[in-house]
Amino acid sequence: MRLIAFLFLAAASLFAQRPRYGGTLTVETRETVHSLDPASMPPEIAALIFEPLAVFDSTGALKPGLAVSWWMRDPTHRRTQFRLDDGITAHDGSSVTPRIAAVALTAPGRVATVSGDVIAIQSTDPAPNLLTGTMLVLRGVNGSVQGTGPFRVAEFEPGRRLLLAAHETYRGGRPFLDNVEILFARQHADQLRDLDSGRAQVIDLLPSEVRRQQQRGRRVWTSPPQHLIALAWKRDRPAARNAALREALALAVDRQPMLQVLLQRQGEATGALLPQWLTGYAFLFRTPRDLPRAKYLTGSQTVPRLVMQADPSDPMLRPLADRIALNARDAGLSVRVVQSGPADLSLLRVPLSSVDPAAALEDAARALHAAVTLETLTLEGVAQAERRMLADHWIVPLFHVPTMLALAPQVKDTTPARSLRWRAEDAWLQPQ
Amino acid sequence: MGVRLRGSFLSALPCLMYAASLEDAARDLARRVNDSLGPRETVALYTRSLDPNGESAVLERTLNRSLAPRLRPPASASLTVTVSENIRGPLLVAELARGEEGSFFLAPYDEAAPAPRAAQSALTLEARLMWEQREPILDLLIAGQQMIVLEPGRIAIYARQEDAWKLRQAAAPPPGSPMPRDARGRLVLEDKLVRAWLPNALCTFSLEGDIALRCDSRTGDWPITGGTALQLPASLVPQRNHFTAPPMPPFFTAAAWNGRWIVASTGGQTQMLEPDGQVVAALGNWGTEIAAIHAPCGMSRFLLAQRQTDTLEAIAIDRDNRPASAAAPIAMEGRLAALWPADSGSAMAIMQSLSHSTYAAYRVSLSCSR
């Protein structure tokens, strides 16, 4: 029995064909990259160049990455030991030995040592996510940066363009594509134009564009709903410390019209931080709109004018922010939407980059500047922690939305279902 | 604001491994609910499923039985048990509500996937599931009471014990050049000797006694077409997923056909070729996997191919070289990762399920109904 109804792959003709080697894929995105530090890159780009020590597969199970075996006997999670896989080569073709890896993994707050073929990392702070959260970055004496991933950096124009070339001796198999060219900071209108003209083969897609692209015969790749759209109050603002106001706004928001119209049913309304497909319990966090109670909460006091900030670089957020301001007015709250400057609360889109519920909750807490205490890392422990985080309406989850890409007809891939990123290393260009 | 973390991270992950049945999970849930209730507390039980087509009869029956003493009216609490699902699989979610207070319990469980159904016709194409696993399968071979599974990094031999396959031994070919993406592999049995072709090695071993792999980095010609009189000396292009056999064009798979070759070329077309490479007929786009098998009635020969998504077909070619379906296609959901002739009357189809991240090997054959 499979309950999940989301369509993660839309390729009708994919499965009859073996992959073809060769070609250059051009990807356009509104994101921008100014540095080759993987921590400052979108994870889907970092994963093409660098590799972590371990990865979660699409079912949330921990699998080998650069490390083939590991153990953490330290209950404080400050010490991790592992063995590296054989045959790891850097992009310049040199072998990555345990000693070389240990030097690369040593960083402020973290020391890596080698004993035989075992690498041990001692961290100053607890690091339970070290295996999946640490990518191997090899730095040259001249400041150059390289990784071990399926693609190497061929050309880089910060903020503008990144050209990746296939890593010929990648131990996971050379990618099918010869090159991936990524163009940054592209406006949506420009991306659509380039897809139409054939200049680009993969572009970002907004919910309002999905149906049109499908009607034009384009493939639309959709991830699981992995981005959380939520309101987060700023704890240092006087208005935010009013619990009644926070509850009133949470009860005033009407999610369904926004989901139907603004998001074109791409995603799901939610009252949970983590999505239903990941935890299976998100439906427990209900989202009733209770306008009478919201009015009661605001009616008994003088309500200040609230300022809500929506990131101007994210075109999905401003229409939602405007709609939330209208909902708030129905409850007697006055909300002004701004692009920058001091604000009482923010409308945010937070990507969840892990299929492990505990790690995903930590990611969300970090992005929302919230505290989370996970007593245990069982699913029930995560659920309890999530409930505590949402108890006082400092955070109001609104929607979980997917990543959506439009792909030119000749682009094929074997990205697994429920993958959080479209895998360029598993893509190829089918001759037309 | 920071993150405080206690408890064991990686050791918690096995808690997410689902091995219990729905009944076991329901009983476990009932026990935990029971433990959380006071001596005189009773509950009103509701069950539901997030899947509109899902059934909860087993769940209801098990919960009613396990919580019977608690189900007497009037209820002091309500218990709603929902059949849900998360990234790992099915999950029972129980909400226990006492007035404004609530608590919840979670119990994952396991569920087997159904096998594909064969269509009904005079000539019937059938697919029988032989094996399923998470790791990629390149080829699979049954030799009496033993099964050999060829994986990119390992050869595993299973022995039949009490209606189940148990791993007898596994051996890894010596590491060589990196395995290409979309690796090819082939198993052939000659008496009790197994030959395993991999992109970077040809390994041989006997099925008798302990398995001792003898591997050579020179793979030579691959046995593309099985035991036919007409052989095609094909070599796998290094670090690629297709073959060359001059004067044929580069191809993914090929089948012998009445002294000629049916070839799924890398150019995207399936062609009928003379042994000297001359094109006899262009048959269209049949995908990249084709294999030839015999039907037991009349020993007619047919081609297997996946001309349409999620289906496998048996195709006959008439005297005018026109292809036509010879039997109702069968549904085979997923990506056809490999199709090799197993013997004259069957082929081994390796299916990759991207939704379940599994590989399954099916023996595909034709049967003749009267």
Side-chain angles (χ1 to χ4, degrees), chain B residues 2-33:
Chain B
V3 172
R4 286 183 297 150
L5 181 67
R6 299 182 202 150
S8 173
F9 179 65
L10 290 175
S11 66
L13 292 178
C15 297
L16 301 179
M17 289 170 62
Y18 301 164
S21 66
L22 171 58
E23 261 190 272
D24 290 339
R27 272 196 289 269
D28 174 58
L29 213 59
R31 177 187 56 77
R32 288 150 63 195
V33 167

Side-chain angles (χ1 to χ4, degrees), chain B residues 40-60:
Chain B
R40 290 189 175 75
E41 283 193 278
T42 55
V43 295
L45 175 64
Y46 308 95
T47 58
R48 65 186 193 123
S49 172
L50 293 186
D51 176 7
N53 298 318
E55 289 190 23
S56 54
V58 170
L59 174 66
E60 273 186 50

Side-chain angles (χ1 to χ4, degrees), chain A residues 87-120:
Chain A
I88 301 173
T89 55
H91 289 150
D92 63 2
S94 59
S95 290
V96 177
T97 62
R99 197 158 300 280
I100 290 173
V103 170
L105 290 167
T106 297
R110 191 170 76 203
V111 174
T113 54
V114 180
S115 174
D117 62 350
V118 174
I119 299 176

Side-chain angles (χ1 to χ4, degrees), chain A residues 179-257:
Chain A
N179 299 99
V180 177
E181 181 187 35
I182 306 173
L183 302 179
F184 300 122
R186 299 288 291 163
Q187 298 295 320
H188 273 286
D190 295 330
Q191 292 187 43
L192 288 168
R193 197 164 36 243
D194 288 348
L195 184 69
D196 284 340
S197 69
R199 185 162 180 265
Q201 291 82 46
V202 180
I203 63 167
D204 292 335
L205 214 53
L206 290 175
S208 56
E209 295 154 2
V210 169
R211 192 178 300 176
R212 192 169 352 144
Q213 292 302 317
Q214 288 172 330
Q215 286 169 348
R216 298 180 73 171
R218 298 251 166 76
R219 279 184 59 209
V220 174
W221 180 85
T222 310
S223 74
Q226 64 176 104
H227 299 267
L228 168 68
I229 295 179
L231 289 166
W233 290 85
K234 304 276 182 74
R235 291 174 188 259
D236 58 346
R237 300 281 293 185
R241 292 190 215 119
N242 187 325
L245 280 189
R246 297 199 308 269
E247 185 182 354
L249 183 60
L251 294 173
V253 176
D254 192 357
R255 292 168 175 77
Q256 285 304 321

Side-chain angles (χ1 to χ4, degrees), chain A residues 1-4 9 12-21 56 58-62 70 72 75 77 128-129 131 150 169-176 235 276-281 283-284 286 355-358 362 365-366 369-380 383-384 387 414-418 425-426, chain B residues 1-10 12-13 15-16 18 32 48-51 54 82-91 93 95 102-106 109 111-112 134-135 178-184 239-241 252 265-268 285-289 306 309-310 334-338 352 354-357:
Chain A
M1 171 181 67
R2 290 288 158 190
L3 305 180
I4 292 180
L9 291 174
S13 61
L14 152 69
F15 295 116
Q17 307 291 340
R18 274 200 184 270
R20 262 63 163 183
Y21 283 82
F56 287 112
S58 58
T59 69
L62 200 60
W70 50 82
M72 289 175 77
H77 305 287
N129 296 336
L131 288 170
T169 55
Y170 179 56
R171 75 191 191 293
R174 181 212 191 269
F176 303 119
R235 291 174 188 259
Q276 170 69 19
W277 63 268
L278 180 61
T279 63
Y281 64 69
F283 68 90
L284 293 175
R286 294 181 175 87
V355 293
D356 173 68
E362 289 177 21
R366 203 171 295 116
H369 305 290
V372 63
T373 303
L374 283 156
E375 296 291 339
T376 71
L377 293 170
T378 61
L379 192 60
E380 283 187 7
Q384 304 283 5
R387 174 182 271 189
T414 55
T415 299
R418 302 190 195 184
E425 65 270 34
D426 289 334
Chain B
M1 288 295 172
V3 172
R4 286 183 297 150
L5 181 67
R6 299 182 202 150
S8 173
F9 179 65
L10 290 175
L13 292 178
C15 297
L16 301 179
Y18 301 164
R32 288 150 63 195
R48 65 186 193 123
S49 172
L50 293 186
D51 176 7
T82 305
V83 181
S84 181
E85 183 176 14
N86 73 1
I87 192 172
R88 291 297 186 93
L91 179 72
V93 180
E95 290 177 84
S103 52
F104 54 82
F105 307 87
L106 308 175
Y109 64 96
E111 195 175 58
R134 287 208 175 276
E135 293 72 29
M179 196 65 66
R181 220 165 268 266
D182 192 36
R184 309 294 300 268
Q239 290 303 307
R240 294 297 185 268
N241 61 354
F252 292 110
S265 74
T266 58
N285 187 344
W286 289 14
T288 57
E289 308 306 301
Q306 192 182 45
T309 308
D310 291 343
R335 172 180 167 255
L336 181 58
Q352 179 189 11
L354 295 179
S355 57
H356 301 349
S357 299

Side-chain angles (χ1 to χ4, degrees), chain B residues 161-213:
Chain B
Q161 290 177 19
E162 296 173 2
D163 288 336
W165 290 109
K166 305 280 187 202
L167 181 67
R168 179 188 149 205
Q169 194 173 346
S177 51
M179 196 65 66
R181 220 165 268 266
D182 192 36
R184 309 294 300 268
R186 183 85 168 103
L187 289 170
V188 168
L189 178 67
E190 296 168 5
D191 288 330
K192 287 197 166 36
L193 204 63
V194 177
R195 293 190 202 281
W197 275 262
L198 288 160
N200 50 11
L202 166 60
C203 297
T204 310
F205 59 95
S206 170
L207 286 175
E208 291 176 332
D210 276 346
I211 308 298
L213 282 186

